[in-house]
Amino acid sequence: MSDIVQVAEMLRGAGRVVALTGAGMSAEAGVPTFRDGGGVWKNFRPEELASPEGFARDPLRVWAWYRERRAGLARIEPHEGHRVLARWEARFESMAVVTQNVDGLHHRAGSQRVFELHGRLDETRCVACECRIVGLDDLGPDPRCACGARMRPGVVWFGELLPVDTLEAGMELARQADVCLVIGTSGVVYPAASVAEVAKQGGAAFVEINPQPGALASIADVCLRGGAVEMLTKLDDAVGR
Ligand code: NAD
Ligand code: ZN
């Protein structure tokens, strides 16, 4: 039995499915990953830009980088793999996406149940008050809130806590899952990776979709070695209606 057929059978018998997605999920949509060769962070350490310390040190540089990433999002579209996961909300009793991605592509593909552990690139929030701006408009080199304080990207940075409710919801979905698909993540960023570990401990069948083994490959029941678009499209065909 091929690996695809095996996973398709797991899915056919499943009521509750959770997908944990990482940067690799968006790679084929044209969003660079962080750790692969050619990734956006190749020439500097992530902590320099994506951290509260980095922002305090040089907010204009951090904003320059985020403005580029936000502008990049306006030029790309979700791919067929994102759309397969969105369609599966109608196929399974429970289908949810828990993502480390901040690009919003799962939403744009039509997924309704998306839990964004690391925030969103299209959100900007005040460092001092509750003010929030949603949208990809260019807010200039050093956006300020009406209260006078500086505004920052609405993503979770290194060293920051994840949104508690979102993380708890993701963990609960993982605990209850029959199948957990771990797609395009290196599995080294915690606590996101623990969502997959919790699914495994809760008895879910664990499937890794990644051209290369990630840190979670050792606990996978099946590894589909290939890109997200190819593997999700094949699975969708094999699972049927
Ligand atoms: P990562 O960059 O550490 O790892 C990417 C993984 O994707 C690797 O394991 C790689 O082998 C795999 N991959 C590459 N091409 C693939 C493809 N076509 N199909 C499937 N898998 C593929 O990413 P991570 O584990 O998500 O951790 C990085 C952190 O950076 C996360 O916290 C995330 O929030 C953030 N990030 C987000 C985005 C985004 O929103 N699109 C992009 C880069 C980084
Ligand atoms: Zn404010």
Side-chain angles (χ1 to χ4, degrees), residues 196-210:
E197 291 169 347
V198 162
K200 174 77 183 185
Q201 285 155 15
F206 186 119
V207 180
E208 181 184 62
I209 299 179
N210 197 315

Side-chain angles (χ1 to χ4, degrees), residues 22-24 28 31 34-35 100-103 118 184-186 210-211 228:
E28 289 161 281
V31 186
F34 284 172
R35 290 180 178 75
Q100 301 169 78
N101 295 344
V102 295
D103 53 37
H118 294 164
T185 175
S186 53
N210 197 315

Side-chain angles (χ1 to χ4, degrees), residues 133-213:
I133 300 174
V134 177
L136 287 171
D137 293 343
D138 186 359
L139 302 172
D142 188 16
R144 300 287 168 144
C145 177
C147 80
R150 186 163 261 141
M151 297 201 82
R152 56 162 280 179
V155 300
V156 177
W157 280 333
F158 287 91
E160 293 186 318
L161 295 177
L162 274 60
V164 176
D165 294 355
T166 311
L167 181 61
E168 269 174 15
M171 290 293 188
E172 190 52 32
L173 288 160
R175 232 171 263 128
Q176 294 175 6
D178 301 315
V179 176
C180 176
L181 305 170
V182 176
I183 310 169
T185 175
S186 53
V188 299
V189 177
Y190 278 83
S194 52
V195 171
E197 291 169 347
V198 162
K200 174 77 183 185
Q201 285 155 15
F206 186 119
V207 180
E208 181 184 62
I209 299 179
N210 197 315
Q212 280 160 33

Side-chain angles (χ1 to χ4, degrees), residues 126-131 145-151:
C126 177
V127 298
C129 76
E130 298 294 306
C131 252
C145 177
C147 80
R150 186 163 261 141
M151 297 201 82

Side-chain angles (χ1 to χ4, degrees), residues 224-241:
L224 300 178
R225 291 279 163 253
V229 172
E230 180 195 351
M231 292 302 156
L232 286 171
T233 311
K234 283 185 173 165
L235 277 180
D236 190 38
D237 289 344
V239 171
R241 295 298 126 203

